[in-house]
Amino acid sequence: MSDAKAPGVAWVIGASSGVGAATARALAERGFSVAVSGRREDNLRTLTTSIREALPGATLATHALDITDPGAALETHRRIAAELGDVTCLIYAAGLNAPKRYLADMDHMETAAIFATNAVAPSQVTQLVLPGMRSTKGGTIIYISSIAAWRHAPAAGVAYSASKKAMSTLAEHVNSTESVHGIRATSILPGDIDTEFLSMRPEVPDSAARRSMLTAEDVAATVAMVVDLPAHVCIDELVVTPVKRDQAT
């Protein structure tokens, strides 16, 4: 018999679209009470409506949030804990990049915003959920990073790559300091994903290129796999890429 913990409260940050939205659905299907956060409140409400239609008994909460606002993040976490209980599963799926991503043309304000979203905010929300996880003697934290944090990818840009590398360090730190409380963290490093995030690229991939990419549901399934592992099993870092099929077939 698996010793995996029963579903609890999941907080999915960056759930307005893409991987975050797909992950919220996957966790709701597993019986988690799911709180979704993101900048676009209309998208969040559309998401929770669709989940309720598919899963009439689902417990969901919607909290519009700019995750780079520390005060707003603190208040959102307080409301989630009061409404649903201590967060036992944190999914950080928010991310930011910019078209000007090479050293020759980087904008330093955009660079600061990329680090604020991809490196600073994940650290803060981790701090917010850790006390509750310690009190419940367990928890899972998953950061949606990028393959650019694993191997050099010039097209990803220096700010994006460096900020995503910080997620791996954060996961390692959580595992080295919090495992005694039953808390584990994983940094998931996907290859290209066919989502609206691609619109931030200097050259947006066409439909042919997108067909060979991962989907948001592929990454959500990877998240679910990690969450479903026995409670004593931890994956520090997980690289996920698509199978390179012959495009002619």
Side-chain angles (χ1 to χ4, degrees):
M1 181 179 292
S2 170
D3 64 348
K5 292 182 180 296
V9 178
W11 184 13
V12 183
I13 297 171
S16 298
S17 64
V19 172
T23 297
R25 292 190 187 94
L27 295 180
E29 289 171 355
R30 279 161 174 72
F32 280 89
S33 298
V34 180
V36 294
S37 292
R39 292 175 182 266
R40 293 171 290 180
E41 186 171 10
D42 287 347
N43 286 27
L44 295 175
R45 296 199 179 283
T46 298
L47 171 65
T48 54
T49 296
S50 68
I51 294 174
R52 285 192 177 99
E53 289 174 351
L55 302 166
T59 300
L60 303 163
T62 302
H63 295 276
L65 171 65
D66 175 357
I67 195 58
T68 63
D69 181 338
L74 177 64
E75 177 61 17
T76 298
H77 175 257
R78 185 194 67 77
R79 290 179 179 177
I80 292 170
E83 185 176 359
L84 302 178
D86 288 324
V87 174
T88 57
C89 181
L90 172 68
I91 310 297
Y92 192 92
L96 184 65
N97 205 347
K100 295 179 180 179
R101 54 184 64 178
Y102 302 103
L103 283 174
D105 65 357
M106 283 169 55
D107 178 281
H108 291 294
M109 292 296 290
E110 289 180 341
T111 297
I114 291 168
F115 273 92
T117 300
N118 299 350
V120 178
S123 177
Q124 185 206 5
V125 294
T126 299
Q127 287 181 300
L128 292 177
V129 302
L130 283 178
M133 290 183 176
R134 293 184 192 120
S135 69
T136 56
K137 297 181 172 57
T140 299
I141 300 171
I142 297 176
Y143 308 107
I144 306 301
S145 180
S146 167
I147 200 169
W150 181 60
R151 66 185 180 203
H152 183 54
V158 64
Y160 184 79
S161 297
S163 62
K164 289 295 188 176
K165 282 181 182 290
M167 285 185 166
S168 294
T169 301
L170 182 56
E172 290 173 359
H173 182 76
V174 170
N175 290 330
S176 66
T177 59
E178 300 294 336
S179 62
V180 294
H181 303 292
I183 300 168
R184 59 187 180 177
T186 299
S187 181
I188 294 180
L189 285 61
D192 290 337
I193 312 170
D194 182 11
T195 68
E196 64 181 42
F197 195 72
L198 294 175
S199 65
M200 296 184 186
R201 290 189 175 182
E203 295 183 6
V204 179
D206 60 19
S207 58
R210 290 170 184 257
R211 283 196 292 272
S212 65
M213 296 180 181
L214 297 168
T215 66
E217 288 72 24
D218 294 332
V219 183
T222 305
V223 172
M225 179 196 74
V226 173
V227 170
D228 288 344
L229 289 170
H232 69 278
V233 176
C234 176
I235 299 176
D236 294 85
E237 191 173 76
L238 183 59
V239 177
V240 183
T241 59
V243 174
K244 299 299 183 182
R245 295 189 177 89
D246 184 351
Q247 295 301 302
T249 61

